[in-house]
């Protein structure tokens, strides 16, 4: 086998191995958010894929961290699914908008009814609005996924310190650091700047095109004037006579 063929074979093997190793990670219950900032409110989405070839996913339980409770938790209805938020009395009350909060939601349960269960090769997303988000780098949500055959997959393993992925990783939400500038101020500034840039850009291109056309017209005019001057001078010069005349 030539060196080129061996290299191609090794490359193909590595690619296949990478896909095999990546496949299980993509099937984990996960959580994401478009804007999760420390101290703010956010809509988070729990994505639940069905990993079974025979059973459907009929229930999802998500545990919210009791150490950093959320004062506000709202659930988005999903057709065919019932939902329940379980509250727990807090050992240490938290404050929200100047008022003490003595209990908070610590578990959310979604249960499928009828044909709404997550089937093989499908996934479902569950949206939750919550806040204020704690001032930490990440929040771990331990989740339990129940199948129609009674199997329960416990996605509860916390992130490792060495960066390796645990066998059943819990969904982890990364939080961005808060800034001192109000959130609305940068947005308004950026929007205004973007609009100004569009207007300025349009005017600049129009001006450039206008100047270019003007220069072309000027050059053509000068050339025409030059040609006309030469023609006039030639017509005004008398024909030369021979010495015999």
């Amino acid at each position: 086998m030539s060196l080129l063929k061996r290299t191609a074979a090794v490359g193909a093997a590595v690619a296949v191995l990478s896909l095999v190793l990546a496949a299980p990670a993509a099937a984990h219950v996960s959580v994401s958010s478009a804007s999760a900032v420390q101290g703010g409110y956010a809509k988070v989405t729990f994505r639940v894929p069905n990993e079974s070839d025979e059973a459907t996913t009929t229930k999802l339980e998500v545990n919210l961290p009791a150490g950093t409770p959320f004062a506000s938790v709202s659930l988005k209805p999903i057709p065919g699914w019932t939902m329940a938020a379980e509250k727990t009395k807090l050992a240490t009350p938290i404050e929200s908008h100047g008022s003490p909060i003595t209990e908070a939601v610590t578990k959310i349960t979604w249960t499928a009814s009828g044909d709404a269960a997550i089937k093989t090769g499908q996934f479902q997303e569950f949206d939750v609005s919550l806040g204020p988000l704690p001032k930490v780098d990440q929040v771990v949500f331990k989740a339990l996924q129940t199948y129609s055959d009674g199997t329960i997959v416990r996605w509860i393993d916390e992130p490792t310190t060495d960066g390796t992925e645990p066998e059943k990783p819990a969904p982890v939400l990364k939080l961005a650091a808060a800034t001192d500038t109000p959130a609305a101020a940068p947005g308004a500034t950026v929007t205004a700047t973007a609009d100004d840039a569009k207007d300025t850009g349009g005017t600049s291109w129009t001006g450039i095109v206008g100047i270019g056309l003007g220069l072309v017209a000027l050059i053509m005019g000068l050339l025409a004037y030059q040609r006309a001057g030469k023609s006039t001078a030639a017509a005004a010069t008398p024909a030369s006579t021979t010495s015999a005349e």
Side-chain angles (χ1 to χ4, degrees), residues 204-222:
S204 299
W205 279 110
T206 304
I208 292 172
V209 172
I211 293 173
L213 292 175
L215 289 174
V216 171
L218 178 61
I219 293 172
M220 293 179 66
L222 289 174

Side-chain angles (χ1 to χ4, degrees), residues 165 167 190:
E165 185 177 66
E167 183 180 358
V190 171

